[in-house]
Amino acid sequence: MADNADATVHKTPPRNSTLSANSETGLKSTPLAVGSAAVSEHISTVGVEVNDVRPWIARDVQNFEKCKADTMLQELLARCTGSSQNLSGSQKSKLLETALNAVLPICNVGAVAQEIKGHLTDFCDIEREPSTYAPFVKAANCALRELSKVNVDGIPAFKVDDKTNVLLHVNDPKPIYQDHQDKQSERKPDLVVVSHQTALGKKSHETQESQVFTETACKSPKDNFQWTDVRSTLELKRPRKFLTHPPSVYTTDYVVPSPSAQYMEYRKDANGPAKPTGSISATGSAQTPHETSHELRPSSQLSRGVKRKRDEDRTEEKEPIKPPPIVQNGLYVAEMFAAHIARQHVISFIVNNDYIYVWVCDRETTIQGAAINFVQDLPRWLVLLLIMQRMGYEQWGLNRVFEPEPGFSGKVMVEVEDTQIDLELDVKSKERVTHFGIRGRATTVFPVKSEALSGLQRDPRFPNESSELVAKLYWPEETRQSEPDILNEVYKIAQTDPDVQGHVPELVWFHKFKETSTSKIRVALGLKDAERAEQGSRVLYIIVFRKLIPITTLSGEEFIAAWWQVVKCHRALWKGGVLHRDVSPSNLMVYRLRGQYIGVLNDYDLSSFKRDGPRGLERTGTIPFMAIDLLTPDAMAGKVEHVYAHDAESLIWVLTWVCLRYKDGELLSKNRPLEEWLKLDAIRCRKEKNDFRSSELPTMCPSESHAVSWKVVEKCFEGIYLLYLPSGYRKLADELAFQLLLEGPMLEHESRRRTYS
């Protein structure tokens, strides 16, 4: 089926422009990206408390792209028409002009105008932030009620529907909970955008609509909201005590904010201008982590029983107790992403004094619209509210294929040319692997049932006995070779190499959702030109595989035998020109065959062909398992070539990790060594790993079930010692690296086993 499906999906063509760009800048490998993608697959270990994830969310949001206020409004309005891609720039500009003129009477004429101005005046006069929630909500909801009568050519007319009509609602201090693997998060956004149905709650028959707008919505809800029901959030800040009252008459002219207020920055000095955030360029190139690590240092908790040498000379800039507003906003965005399957984007808002900032966040980067002064520039705020009122589920970012309406759970149909593939994703399964964060691949894995796919004839090349399937949804970079293309090459190698045959995953079916490219909004906003649109952009894929078992469930000889099979498969693929480049415990799997476990090297979405060189902007590796040589500033900037010895070292770190943290196939419940590595950036993780190999390894004790594998670890590290010399990293030919780091230690192990068996 994998070969047949090829016809339904365009392969990623060679990107000559990308390759030439890399050659000009001297890139030898893909630069290391930062952010929540680095820890999301370990979120059950890292945790979801604010202090656990704020460093990673901060990295996701601090390097934002900037967009003019009117440009943002024009694009969001155009999306309400349903034909954004077909409208020219002049048509979008005309649409905004029409909308501004349509809402202007609400700002200036009649009792409603006076009521809105009254609420805004109250907002200006209140000094304490929590007390500003009610007048802000009253002003917004009063405007929404009046906007329901407004018609703008090209924009769908308002329709009464409690499931889709929205309003603003106070939430703080009520928490909103959400499960992430085996952890539960608790967040308290100040205000939320919800449907009338959600706001009415269980007592909808007892409450009048006007009461909901003016009373109920101005108080924290009696029952906790669910993230699946939240369209958006608003984070309010009030550092200034006195705000200028509304003017007597409004016009449609843009009220230009002061330079310091034009954009919300990551952090500001108490009495000075905003610190530079290094916001990313229109190409989407991410700032390398060593350039910002001094400002975003994640805290680490040292594992018990493991000695750590304190770095007395290092002084760190302390984070404020409460995260900066854009980090708080980022946490809520991550929750809204996690609440929905394959969500395209999230639109959220920050209100600072009398300015409102629109944030559009997707898997590529975050985009911030310039400030709109909702007190002095009421017409633009009303256009923004009109947009919120007329946007459908899809415009809010929901993927209608997988989620026709919020919280949907059931069978979906994916249309591929003339074929329909039925998919029933088990979104509540305990085996579901979820992503927490904003940027990156955002890989989510579900058990899946499908009559169409289950009825396919089994491929004899794959001996996996399981009849169960899993679906992988993720957002790879468009310029990367696609995972299905990589696997096609892997399967060709497997036909002639026994070390690969049976040790790779079985791809059953896949599809690329071309319409989801994150480049579209950036081209529309003028952040990218059409020719370079795909650089850094991401697109949604779904791949269905035959179900596999994590290698961490094995112990003793079963585990080390499966690990060695993966090592040999990895080596054979590297020889064949397929470079895996992302060795981690989650990518080593097994399946059962006639009573034995067979090792599988899984997950090729960061792999590449040796002939093509580095592609894309995304990191290639998971920090705790990366070779120490790849955790240097130069390596993170893409200036160090990724060689076979680096992946060989990663395989050793994975072996070490499992031996120390798993017992009898289960993750240790407490006192897990190396725990802090999951929370460190590359620079600090490099230091920890250097300390580990130079002084801590002899003091470590593996679990009893991995004692036999630990002897292999010790022999492997003898090889690692020979790579890191006082003069620098020792480069080895691939075959010599394999023999020194992996084959030699394993041959000694097998010799011992034969001696004592």
Side-chain angles (χ1 to χ4, degrees):
M1 182 67 180
D3 292 335
N4 295 337
D6 231 13
T8 68
V9 180
H10 293 296
K11 293 186 176 182
T12 307
R15 308 291 178 198
N16 295 327
S17 60
T18 303
L19 294 175
S20 62
N22 285 341
S23 63
E24 289 171 9
T25 57
L27 289 186
K28 297 182 179 180
S29 64
T30 307
L32 179 69
V34 295
S36 56
V39 295
S40 64
E41 68 180 275
H42 303 285
I43 200 68
S44 62
T45 305
V46 173
V48 290
E49 297 298 323
V50 170
N51 287 336
D52 294 327
V53 296
R54 73 183 262 178
W56 314 105
I57 296 297
R59 285 176 168 86
D60 279 350
V61 300
Q62 70 160 348
N63 295 323
F64 54 83
E65 297 179 88
K66 296 178 179 179
C67 170
K68 293 180 180 179
D70 277 5
T71 304
M72 178 68 80
L73 290 176
Q74 286 172 17
E75 177 57 22
L76 295 180
L77 269 172
R79 292 191 167 209
C80 290
T81 68
S83 57
S84 169
Q85 303 299 314
N86 300 323
L87 296 182
S88 66
S90 60
Q91 288 174 317
K92 292 179 182 180
S93 178
K94 181 64 176 178
L95 184 63
L96 175 58
E97 181 184 348
T98 302
L100 286 169
N101 286 317
V103 303
L104 192 60
I106 301 176
C107 305
N108 291 323
V109 180
V112 173
Q114 295 308 311
E115 183 180 352
I116 294 173
K117 287 183 179 180
H119 294 317
L120 291 178
T121 300
D122 292 342
F123 177 90
C124 293
D125 291 342
I126 295 172
E127 297 180 12
R128 291 183 64 253
E129 177 194 309
S131 300
T132 64
Y133 299 166
F136 185 89
V137 168
K138 287 178 180 178
N141 287 346
C142 178
L144 282 169
R145 202 168 39 183
E146 196 66 13
L147 286 168
S148 65
K149 308 170 188 175
V150 172
N151 290 316
V152 177
D153 288 343
I155 303 294
F158 177 81
K159 295 180 180 179
V160 178
D161 183 350
D162 284 346
K163 292 176 67 175
T164 58
N165 300 156
V166 298
L167 53 75
L168 273 65
H169 202 300
V170 174
N171 179 74
D172 186 53
K174 202 77 166 182
I176 305 178
Y177 300 103
Q178 187 161 218
D179 291 330
H180 305 274
Q181 297 177 37
D182 62 348
K183 299 289 184 180
Q184 186 180 68
S185 63
E186 176 182 331
R187 313 279 183 232
K188 299 177 182 178
D190 297 334
L191 310 179
V192 294
V193 180
V194 294
S195 69
H196 291 193
Q197 184 181 70
T198 299
L200 288 166
K202 298 176 181 178
K203 297 183 178 180
S204 58
H205 60 285
E206 302 175 7
T207 311
Q208 294 182 353
E209 184 183 51
S210 59
Q211 186 180 349
V212 175
F213 272 87
T214 57
E215 298 178 24
T216 308
C218 297
K219 303 174 184 176
S220 185
K222 292 183 180 179
D223 299 317
N224 304 74
F225 288 131
Q226 301 296 314
W227 280 112
T228 50
D229 296 325
V230 174
R231 298 282 199 284
S232 186
T233 60
L234 293 92
E235 179 66 19
L236 273 66
K237 296 299 173 189
R238 186 61 179 272
R240 278 203 345 248
K241 289 185 178 180
F242 304 107
L243 302 177
T244 304
H245 285 187
S248 56
V249 177
Y250 288 102
T251 69
T252 60
D253 294 334
Y254 177 53
V255 178
V256 180
S258 64
S260 62
Q262 190 173 12
Y263 294 98
M264 286 288 294
E265 303 292 353
Y266 167 67
R267 183 187 292 167
K268 293 187 178 181
D269 290 326
N271 299 304
K275 291 187 179 182
T277 63
S279 51
I280 71 176
S281 66
T283 63
S285 302
Q287 189 175 16
T288 54
H290 64 277
E291 295 174 312
T292 60
S293 59
H294 68 283
E295 193 170 56
L296 287 170
R297 291 249 174 86
S299 60
S300 63
Q301 292 184 337
L302 303 184
S303 303
R304 296 181 184 178
V306 180
K307 295 181 180 179
R308 289 284 180 268
K309 183 174 67 176
R310 292 185 179 178
D311 189 353
E312 301 291 349
D313 297 330
R314 179 164 57 194
T315 58
E316 296 185 9
E317 182 181 354
K318 292 184 178 180
E319 291 277 4
I321 295 176
K322 197 169 185 179
I326 72 169
V327 177
Q328 286 183 280
N329 178 60
L331 288 167
Y332 306 146
V333 168
E335 295 289 354
M336 287 184 277
F337 266 127
H340 302 278
I341 302 171
R343 184 161 184 164
Q344 175 79 26
H345 60 261
V346 170
I347 300 173
S348 61
F349 309 92
I350 301 178
V351 175
N352 191 50
N353 295 318
D354 47 3
Y355 291 109
I356 187 166
Y357 302 82
V358 182
W359 288 75
V360 178
C361 307
D362 60 23
R363 299 309 189 179
E364 184 176 345
T365 56
T366 54
I367 304 170
Q368 182 184 173
I372 296 172
N373 190 316
F374 57 90
V375 177
Q376 304 304 318
D377 196 349
L378 182 58
R380 275 170 178 74
W381 188 40
L382 262 58
V383 168
L384 181 58
L385 290 170
L386 177 74
I387 291 167
M388 294 163 66
Q389 183 183 72
R390 305 298 167 91
M391 284 198 301
Y393 295 137
E394 190 171 352
Q395 285 75 40
W396 280 111
L398 270 61
N399 188 309
R400 299 300 299 275
V401 173
F402 296 99
E403 202 171 6
E405 59 183 39
F408 174 83
S409 178
K411 185 178 292 188
V412 299
M413 304 298 291
V414 180
E415 293 189 16
V416 184
E417 293 185 347
D418 297 329
T419 306
Q420 284 198 330
I421 303 296
D422 63 296
L423 299 171
E424 189 171 350
L425 303 173
D426 188 354
V427 297
K428 297 182 179 180
S429 170
K430 293 182 179 180
E431 298 179 358
R432 173 185 177 182
V433 179
T434 57
H435 172 90
F436 183 82
I438 303 173
R439 296 167 57 186
R441 287 168 292 164
T443 303
T444 306
V445 181
F446 306 89
V448 63
K449 295 179 181 178
S450 171
E451 294 179 8
L453 300 181
S454 297
L456 296 175
Q457 184 176 356
R458 294 293 294 265
D459 191 329
R461 297 177 298 173
F462 301 97
N464 187 348
E465 297 172 347
S466 175
S467 60
E468 297 180 71
L469 303 174
V470 295
K472 171 182 174 180
L473 286 87
Y474 70 116
W475 296 80
E477 287 186 291
E478 289 195 83
T479 52
R480 280 194 178 276
Q481 199 76 32
S482 72
E483 187 169 11
D485 286 350
I486 296 285
L487 285 172
N488 277 336
E489 188 69 21
V490 167
Y491 297 157
K492 291 176 184 177
I493 297 172
Q495 291 175 0
T496 58
D497 197 319
D499 285 338
V500 179
Q501 179 65 52
H503 299 288
V504 292
E506 179 185 354
L507 189 157
V508 178
W509 174 80
F510 69 95
H511 182 61
K512 175 184 177 181
F513 296 89
K514 292 181 291 183
E515 69 279 6
T516 64
S517 173
T518 59
S519 66
K520 292 183 177 180
I521 188 170
R522 286 162 179 79
V523 172
L525 294 175
L527 302 175
K528 286 184 177 182
D529 57 57
E531 292 183 0
R532 302 186 66 189
E534 287 189 352
Q535 185 175 348
S537 67
R538 296 181 179 276
V539 66
L540 178 65
Y541 267 83
I542 181 171
I543 306 183
V544 176
F545 291 101
R546 190 76 54 196
K547 184 179 179 181
L548 296 168
I549 305 166
I551 199 172
T552 54
T553 61
L554 304 186
S555 298
E557 287 292 346
E558 285 184 328
F559 168 77
I560 196 67
W563 176 82
W564 180 237
Q565 289 172 351
V566 172
V567 169
K568 291 191 293 182
C569 175
H570 177 280
R571 176 68 185 127
L573 289 176
W574 196 283
K575 283 182 178 179
V578 176
L579 315 183
H580 189 276
R581 297 181 165 213
D582 189 21
V583 175
S584 68
S586 61
N587 293 340
L588 274 63
M589 309 291 281
V590 297
Y591 63 87
R592 289 186 66 85
L593 178 64
R594 294 187 288 274
Q596 292 186 321
Y597 287 101
I598 307 299
V600 173
L601 180 61
N602 197 37
D603 199 350
Y604 292 79
D605 56 14
L606 285 180
S607 302
S608 62
F609 295 137
K610 189 174 184 179
R611 63 178 182 265
D612 291 339
R615 291 186 180 183
L617 302 173
E618 189 173 19
R619 67 180 175 85
T620 49
T622 304
I623 286 176
F625 314 108
M626 290 173 66
I628 296 171
D629 189 48
L630 292 180
L631 299 178
T632 64
D634 278 350
M636 290 183 289
K639 298 177 181 179
V640 174
E641 183 182 4
H642 191 135
V643 296
Y644 172 76
H646 293 138
D647 269 20
E649 186 181 329
S650 290
L651 287 160
I652 297 169
W653 286 116
V654 168
L655 181 62
T656 306
W657 184 269
V658 176
C659 288
L660 293 175
R661 295 170 57 83
Y662 287 82
K663 180 180 179 180
D664 298 324
E666 297 288 341
L667 182 67
L668 296 175
S669 60
K670 58 182 179 180
N671 299 338
R672 294 188 289 257
L674 317 184
E675 186 90 352
E676 71 277 11
W677 291 11
L678 291 169
K679 303 180 182 181
L680 298 178
D681 59 22
I683 297 285
R684 297 182 70 195
C685 193
R686 175 170 170 251
K687 178 187 180 301
E688 293 294 315
K689 295 177 83 169
N690 269 323
D691 288 348
F692 180 91
R693 71 174 180 84
S694 62
S695 60
E696 294 168 3
L697 179 65
T699 70
M700 306 303 291
C701 295
S703 66
E704 295 176 4
S705 61
H706 285 293
V708 65
S709 300
W710 190 249
K711 295 186 180 298
V712 179
V713 170
E714 292 173 327
K715 296 302 293 185
C716 288
F717 269 91
E718 290 179 11
I720 290 179
Y721 295 142
L722 298 176
L723 294 182
Y724 294 92
L725 306 176
S727 58
Y729 184 74
R730 178 188 176 193
K731 294 184 178 180
L732 299 178
D734 292 354
E735 187 60 27
L736 181 56
F738 173 68
Q739 294 171 359
L740 175 67
L741 297 173
L742 299 167
E743 187 179 43
M746 197 61 194
L747 288 175
E748 283 195 37
H749 167 75
E750 291 177 346
S751 177
R752 284 194 305 269
R753 185 168 60 86
R754 286 193 297 268
T755 300
Y756 292 105
S757 61

